[in-house]
Amino acid sequence: MRDANAGAMRFLIATYAWFLATLPEAFARANAWGFSWALWGLRRKIITRNLAASFPEKDAAWVRRIGQLSCRRTAEMGLYAIASPQLSEAEVRARIQLHPETLTGPHTVLSSNGVVLFVPHFSLMEMMSAVKLLDADLGRRAWVTLYRPLDLAAAEVWVKASRERFGMRLVSRRDGFGQTMQAVRSGQIAVILFDQSTHLGAQMEFLGRPVATTELPGIIAQRFKATARIFWSERTGFWRCQLRSHALSATDSVGLTLESNAWLAAQLRSSDDACADWLWAHDRWKYGQSPGIKPLQS
């Protein structure tokens, strides 16, 4: 019975993905709009609390507008993860651009050393999984990404295959730390989200309030003297983005943790569009004042 249910769920996901990828884009946009209102209804209190506390100078109308736009972009990201296996390589290439800074200059992610990429929760980060498709030099490197598996088994199988379609390897946060470190040790590229809510990190201030933040990407970069970069998707339209990178100058784990979070705070303050592109629905401040969280220190 369980196998039959899983098979039925996979069929439903595949059918929905086909509709999203094949019908005019207005269909996917309408679905994103609908799901965004469901997300807003479920997470409105958290979203408005986070935005109001982070931007106390803004009024309630601004908080509501940015929060609702963030929900639409979060829904857009989730639908792309479902639909992308049904998009051709040509369609994926047409939707994702590489900023020149990712390949040349001081911010490039190409390095003879191992590379640790600090990735923030911007809305179209799902599209970053196609990066190996976009450039031959990037494609020759092994990319290992730490991620949290989805709770629904059928959805997990579909989304993981979608993310690994172009050669990026996903390893679970539960058992993938060794594989991530081995990738960096051997001169490859590790991708780690650095702005997730966590109850195992260290305490620091982010947008005026204490958060518990992961030190993992900084620890790995310091341990293997790896190149450290912010790597993010800058949204340019519906299911369209430009992949960008920014060099981090610190070399120790504490410095890298502080610098990456300061960069993110500056991005969120830079414009309403950038602010709305972050996933405000996740409660990053949840464990910031937990008794077991110690202050970030060397």
Side-chain angles (χ1 to χ4, degrees):
M1 179 64 71
R2 182 176 298 177
D3 289 343
N5 290 338
M9 180 62 69
R10 284 194 296 271
F11 174 77
L12 289 174
I13 293 172
T15 302
Y16 185 45
W18 184 89
F19 281 119
L20 288 170
T22 307
L23 293 179
E25 191 174 282
F27 176 77
R29 287 175 175 269
N31 277 251
W33 183 87
F35 282 122
S36 75
W37 283 108
L39 179 59
W40 175 250
L42 291 170
R43 306 288 287 180
R44 177 172 54 86
K45 290 183 179 179
I46 289 175
I47 294 167
T48 54
R49 183 183 68 214
N50 286 343
L51 280 165
S54 299
F55 298 92
E57 73 281 7
K58 301 294 187 179
D59 61 21
W62 181 91
V63 167
R64 184 171 57 254
R65 177 171 62 84
I66 298 300
Q68 290 173 354
L69 181 54
S70 176
C71 286
R72 287 200 296 274
R73 294 186 177 180
T74 301
E76 176 185 343
M77 179 185 69
L79 292 180
Y80 179 82
I82 296 171
S84 60
Q86 301 286 0
L87 296 173
S88 68
E89 288 192 8
E91 289 175 306
V92 172
R93 287 179 184 273
R95 291 176 179 275
I96 309 174
Q97 305 299 316
L98 278 177
H99 193 285
E101 70 195 358
T102 61
L103 301 177
T104 59
H107 301 292
T108 179
V109 300
L110 294 171
S111 171
S112 57
N113 301 327
V115 179
V116 177
L117 299 182
F118 292 60
V119 174
H121 271 92
F122 286 132
S123 65
L124 290 180
M125 63 183 185
E126 288 287 346
M127 302 185 84
M128 296 168 64
S129 62
V131 63
K132 287 168 64 72
L133 174 69
L134 306 177
D135 177 79
D137 289 331
L138 294 177
R140 280 190 282 269
R141 303 292 291 274
W143 291 63
V144 176
T145 301
L146 269 181
Y147 86 112
R148 185 181 70 180
L150 301 176
D151 294 330
L152 185 61
E156 162 63 11
V157 171
W158 182 270
V159 172
K160 187 172 187 290
S162 168
R163 292 167 172 170
E164 293 186 325
R165 177 183 176 188
F166 300 112
M168 185 173 285
R169 182 160 61 93
L170 271 65
V171 294
S172 169
R173 290 193 303 177
R174 290 193 287 265
D175 52 22
F177 295 116
Q179 296 177 61
T180 305
M181 289 189 289
Q182 177 56 38
V184 179
R185 182 189 294 115
S186 61
Q188 306 306 322
I189 298 174
V191 181
I192 305 174
L193 288 164
F194 72 90
D195 59 346
Q196 290 180 301
S197 175
T198 177
H199 63 282
L200 299 174
Q203 186 191 76
M204 62 168 289
E205 186 175 282
F206 181 71
L207 291 177
R209 288 186 293 157
V211 298
T213 190
T214 180
E215 298 177 86
L216 181 64
I219 289 172
I220 295 176
Q222 176 183 332
R223 179 173 180 179
F224 300 111
K225 296 180 171 59
T227 298
R229 299 284 186 264
I230 302 283
F231 191 56
W232 80 101
S233 59
E234 185 174 78
R235 186 181 182 276
T236 57
F238 188 87
W239 286 358
R240 290 168 178 83
C241 71
Q242 182 173 230
L243 302 186
R244 302 196 59 181
S245 57
H246 172 81
L248 295 171
S249 59
T251 56
D252 65 291
S253 63
V254 173
L256 287 166
T257 302
L258 292 171
E259 186 180 357
S260 57
N261 280 277
W263 176 91
L264 177 58
Q267 284 291 113
L268 298 180
R269 292 186 177 114
S270 67
S271 70
D272 286 0
D273 189 68
C275 185
D277 215 33
W278 198 55
L279 275 64
W280 289 96
H282 82 279
D283 194 1
R284 196 186 177 196
W285 291 267
K286 182 176 182 179
Y287 299 104
Q289 300 187 69
S290 296
I293 300 296
K294 297 181 180 180
L296 181 68
Q297 58 187 1
S298 57

